[in-house]
Structure formats: C-alpha cells, structure tokens
C-alpha cells in the first residue's frame, strides 16, 4: 500500500518536473514556482504531497524555504525511469522504421 502511494504521488507530471529540477540541487519555493509557472497554492500542494511521502525535505533560511530530494535513490529512480522510457521509444521507432521500409503489398505492381 505504501509503495502504491509513493508511485501515485510520483505519477503527477508537475511533481516529476519538480523532481527533475531538484535533481540538480536544492531550490527555493519561489524558484520552483517560477520555473513551473504555478501559483503559490499549487506549488505548496505539490511540495506537501512529496514531503508527506518522504521524498523531499526542506530547510528555512531567512524568509526563504529551500527544498531538496531527501534520498539520492529518488534521483536514481528518475534516471532509471527515463532510461526505460527512452529504450521503449527507441524500440518503437526501430519497429516503425522497419515497417516503413518493407515493400508495400498492394495493387500497384
């Protein structure tokens, strides 16, 4: 059940983009909000969902709140997911190219 909750939280496109941004290092809420073109409410909701699952942690410095990925394995998971998807797309592309190169079996002979 806990694993399903984690993948459900990770399954939102905005949250995936947040994680991709955070893979390069911590960022402020304002940075994330600007990069994702979200309002503060939307940004906070997504960050809260990721924090609740233990994916992110935060720290306060003055008036700024910085977020970072809590466990480096989350970055590894994101990298592996990208590799899997890239491989699947490459396989599909190869199949389509192969089909396109086959002689057509129609009435044009």
């Amino acid at each position: 059940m806990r694993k399903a909750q984690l993948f459900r939280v990770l399954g939102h496109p905005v949250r995936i983009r947040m994680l991709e941004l955070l893979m390069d290092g911590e960022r402020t809420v304002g940075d994330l909000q600007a990069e994702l073109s979200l309002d503060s409410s939307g940004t906070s909701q997504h960050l809260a969902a990721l924090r609740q699952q233990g994916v992110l942690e935060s720290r306060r410095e003055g008036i700024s709140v910085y977020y970072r990925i809590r466990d480096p394995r989350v970055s590894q998971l994101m990298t592996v997911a990208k590799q899997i998807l890239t491989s699947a797309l490459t396989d599909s592309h190869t199949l389509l190219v192969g089909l396109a190169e086959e002689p057509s079996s129609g009435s044009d002979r």
Side-chain angles (χ1 to χ4, degrees):
M1 181 76 160
R2 181 99 166 115
K3 194 185 305 181
Q5 289 173 328
L6 173 65
F7 279 103
R8 187 169 40 254
V9 166
L10 295 177
H12 195 285
V14 170
R15 293 181 195 138
I16 295 215
R17 184 66 186 127
M18 278 182 168
L19 291 173
E20 289 171 343
L21 293 169
L22 292 168
M23 285 172 65
D24 294 331
E26 69 179 11
R27 290 186 179 235
T28 65
V29 174
D31 290 342
L32 292 169
Q33 186 176 332
E35 187 74 33
L36 298 166
S37 301
L38 291 174
D39 60 20
S40 60
S41 173
T43 304
S44 294
Q45 288 176 355
H46 289 297
L47 289 169
L50 290 165
R51 273 189 71 187
Q52 189 174 18
Q53 288 301 313
V55 175
L56 298 181
E57 59 187 6
S58 64
R59 69 177 178 87
R60 182 175 292 280
E61 186 175 301
I63 60 168
S64 297
V65 178
Y66 289 82
Y67 278 86
R68 66 182 165 273
I69 294 174
R70 185 172 167 266
D71 187 326
R73 291 175 292 187
V74 171
S75 297
Q76 293 170 350
L77 178 63
M78 298 292 291
T79 300
V80 169
K82 184 176 181 179
Q83 291 168 347
I84 290 168
L85 293 172
T86 301
S87 176
L89 288 172
T90 300
D91 291 347
S92 294
H93 177 74
T94 302
L95 177 64
L96 288 172
V97 168
L99 289 173
E101 292 174 350
E102 287 182 7
S104 61
S105 58
S107 58
D108 57 338
R109 288 195 218 207

